[in-house]
Amino acid sequence: ATTEDFQLRISMDLEKYGTASVVLFYAIIFATPQPTTDWEGNVIPRAHKLMGHDAADIESKPPLDGLVIAVTGATSGIGLSFTRKLSSMGAHVIAIGRSSSKLERLAQE
C-alpha cells in the first residue's frame, strides 16, 4: 500500500466513524509493540523468552536448530513435505521410509 492509499483510507474512516474514533483506533494500532522475529521473519513464541533463551541467539539461529526429529513415511506425500520443511528450519531429520532409493535421493537434497 502506498502513502496515498493510507491517507485515502484514513480520510474515508474519518468521514464514516468520526475523528475521535479513528484517532483512537490508529493510536492503538501504532502503539502496540511488534513481536520479536527470528532469522526468517517468524514470530518467536513467548515460551522461548520465558524459558530463558537469549533473544539474540534465537534471532540468529533457525527455530528448530539442535532438535532431532524422526519422520515416518518421509519418501512421499505429507511425510516428504514435512521432512523438507523441518530440515529447512534447522532440525536434524531422521527420515524413515520403505524405498531405499527414495531415501537416498532425499538425503542428497
Side-chain angles (χ1 to χ4, degrees):
T2 64
T3 305
E4 293 83 25
D5 293 338
F6 186 68
Q7 290 171 344
L8 177 62
R9 172 63 191 220
I10 290 175
S11 65
M12 289 174 17
D13 289 347
L14 287 172
E15 291 174 10
K16 187 173 182 181
Y17 300 109
T19 305
S21 299
V22 172
V23 169
L24 178 62
F25 174 73
Y26 284 108
I28 291 170
I29 288 175
F30 291 121
T32 304
Q34 298 301 314
T36 306
T37 57
D38 67 5
W39 63 287
E40 202 174 43
N42 300 313
V43 174
I44 298 173
R46 286 189 59 216
H48 284 298
K49 295 176 191 174
L50 296 174
M51 290 169 39
H53 295 137
D54 182 23
D57 191 37
I58 292 171
E59 291 172 14
S60 63
K61 285 185 175 180
L64 300 179
D65 186 50
L67 292 179
V68 178
I69 301 171
V71 178
T72 59
T75 56
S76 65
I78 294 172
L80 178 60
S81 298
F82 195 54
T83 300
R84 289 177 175 153
K85 184 62 176 177
L86 289 172
S87 180
S88 73
M89 294 176 74
H92 177 77
V93 180
I94 299 171
I96 302 167
R98 293 181 294 186
S99 171
S100 60
S101 62
K102 288 182 181 179
L103 285 170
E104 288 174 13
R105 273 186 274 153
L106 180 60
Q108 298 301 320
E109 291 183 15

